[in-house]
Amino acid sequence: MLFITVTRRFGAKSGFPVRFLELPKEKEMQAIMKETREKFLRLHPCVSRSSFRVLVQNVVTSVTVGMDPGAYFTNKTRSTWTTEGAIFFAGSLVTTVGYGNVILLSDEGRIFCVFFIVLGIPLYGMLLTSTGEHVGTNLQARISTMENFLTKRQLLGTVMVRFLASIFFIGIGFLFFVALPVVIFITLENWSEVESFFYVIVTLTTVGFGDFVPGTNPVNTFWGYQYLVLLWIVLSLFYFASIITMIGNWIRQEMNNLEEVEKLSQSSNLMGRAKEPSRRFPRGSKVVPAPSSVTTRSMTAPSTTSMTAPSKTSMTTPSKINPSKTSPPKTFPTKS
């Protein structure tokens, strides 16, 4: 609902940033195409507009399915489905890049592609996950060794070591898997710096627009070039998956440590409350410490039978003595 509201409010006038940036370029291309069409029809009056329209539609269709229209004007014919191109196409499918520069025309090929995608993507995902976890765990072990070394010597803290290690490994990945391929594509594909960097980021994020695909121009490339590009894609995804796994393990470890600290603090609080006696004293009274176990044994109260108070009847009325039941007093002989 919010998206529809924003679209209605801002889409009609200014539009989103992509529309605002791309709309003038689209109008410029339309004007160029219109001017080119009119110029061609003026120079070739024997060609009708309908015939020219059919020609343009056929050219657009051939470009859409991955064919090279320029090859028809030369003596060289180039097929899209070479061994190298087919393997590169399969790799773009399982890595979910999907450039879209090549389109399947046969129903049999489409059915095979459906089964290949359904089976290939989960297997590649399992391989990517396991490899990322393995490499990420090894990186974490190396960083933990460095962390223990620096922490014992009080050179750097744990958080700083992990931050610097993350920056270091991400920087290595950016250098080998982003910066170096950008330079290579600029040299081999004759792309600009922006185009090459755009292709690298779009590929590594598995977006894959398909407007820039390496190896489509056979003049500047060599045999096995697309194999190397596919290897670069797979290794790059493995490396950045391992970095993400390593950072995720750190976050999970810190969360577990916080939970253990909270549990220990709660248990210590409960033990302290259980040991403390729950006594209340009036204001102004002195708090007497509890006697130890030795003194309590010696100061135990006597039994109730020896300390019982005399009953009220024995204190007020004397009991009647029966003379028949009383024994005579004992007499002792006296010395004469």
Side-chain angles (χ1 to χ4, degrees):
M1 191 65 184
L2 179 61
F3 179 78
I4 296 175
T5 304
V6 173
T7 304
R8 290 177 178 177
R9 180 171 297 181
F10 300 102
K13 296 181 180 180
S14 60
F16 292 111
V18 177
R19 180 180 180 273
F20 178 75
L21 295 173
E22 294 297 325
L23 187 59
K25 289 291 183 181
E26 182 184 8
K27 292 182 178 180
E28 181 181 352
M29 291 298 298
Q30 290 176 354
I32 293 174
M33 290 295 296
K34 184 177 180 180
E35 183 181 355
T36 304
R37 181 191 64 188
E38 298 298 330
K39 183 178 180 180
F40 179 84
L41 293 175
R42 284 197 306 268
L43 294 177
H44 304 85
C46 59
V47 179
S48 62
R49 289 181 176 269
S50 60
S51 300
F52 182 74
R53 185 183 301 109
V54 172
L55 176 63
V56 171
Q57 289 177 352
N58 291 332
V59 171
V60 171
T61 303
S62 63
V63 172
T64 304
V65 299
M67 297 180 181
D68 185 11
Y72 294 102
F73 300 97
T74 61
N75 294 325
K76 296 181 180 180
T77 58
R78 179 174 179 268
S79 175
T80 305
W81 294 106
T82 59
T83 304
E84 186 178 357
I87 294 176
F88 186 78
F89 173 76
S92 66
L93 289 182
V94 296
T95 55
T96 67
V97 176
Y99 290 110
N101 62 316
V102 178
I103 296 177
L104 301 173
L105 299 178
S106 64
D107 293 337
E108 295 81 5
R110 292 168 181 169
I111 294 173
F112 174 78
C113 187
V114 167
F115 285 101
F116 182 78
I117 290 172
V118 171
L119 296 177
I121 291 179
L123 292 176
Y124 174 76
M126 294 171 59
L127 178 64
L128 180 64
T129 303
S130 60
T131 306
E133 289 180 357
H134 180 71
V135 178
T137 304
N138 291 333
L139 289 177
Q140 187 177 1
R142 302 295 182 271
I143 295 173
S144 298
T145 304
M146 185 189 305
E147 176 184 333
N148 295 330
F149 176 79
L150 296 175
T151 304
K152 287 180 181 179
R153 286 160 178 76
Q154 297 181 355
L155 298 177
L156 291 174
T158 303
V159 179
M160 184 58 65
V161 170
R162 292 182 178 180
F163 176 75
L164 293 178
S166 302
I167 296 298
F168 177 72
F169 286 108
I170 292 174
I172 290 178
F174 184 84
L175 178 63
F176 283 97
F177 297 112
V178 177
L180 184 61
V182 166
V183 176
I184 293 174
F185 291 138
I186 291 173
T187 305
L188 296 180
E189 298 288 344
N190 292 328
W191 294 341
S192 65
E193 291 81 0
V194 176
E195 291 173 348
S196 182
F197 182 74
F198 174 77
Y199 165 75
V200 169
I201 298 302
V202 166
T203 300
L204 295 183
T205 54
T206 68
V207 176
F209 288 114
D211 48 355
F212 297 100
V213 179
T216 55
N217 187 6
V219 177
N220 299 326
T221 58
F222 51 89
W223 184 88
Y225 174 67
Q226 288 187 327
Y227 292 149
L228 296 177
V229 173
L230 184 60
L231 180 64
W232 161 70
I233 294 173
V234 174
L235 293 179
S236 302
L237 295 178
F238 283 166
Y239 184 82
F240 287 109
S242 65
I243 295 296
I244 294 173
T245 302
M246 181 182 65
I247 296 175
N249 291 334
W250 281 343
I251 296 174
R252 194 180 301 110
Q253 183 179 357
E254 291 297 328
M255 295 296 293
N256 293 332
N257 293 335
L258 290 175
E259 290 180 358
E260 290 180 359
V261 169
E262 290 180 358
K263 289 180 180 179
L264 290 175
S265 62
Q266 291 177 0
S267 60
S268 61
N269 291 334
L270 292 176
M271 292 294 292
R273 292 177 182 177
K275 290 181 180 180
E276 293 179 357
S278 58
R279 297 179 180 180
R280 294 182 179 180
F281 301 96
R283 293 182 178 179
S285 60
K286 296 182 179 180
V287 179
V288 181
S292 61
S293 60
V294 178
T295 57
T296 51
R297 292 179 181 177
S298 60
M299 295 180 65
T300 52
S303 61
T304 55
T305 55
S306 60
M307 296 295 294
T308 51
S311 61
K312 190 180 290 185
T313 55
S314 62
M315 293 295 293
T316 55
T317 57
S319 60
K320 294 181 180 181
I321 302 173
N322 191 357
S324 61
K325 294 183 179 180
T326 56
S327 60
K330 295 182 180 181
T331 58
F332 301 93
T334 57
K335 294 182 180 182
S336 57

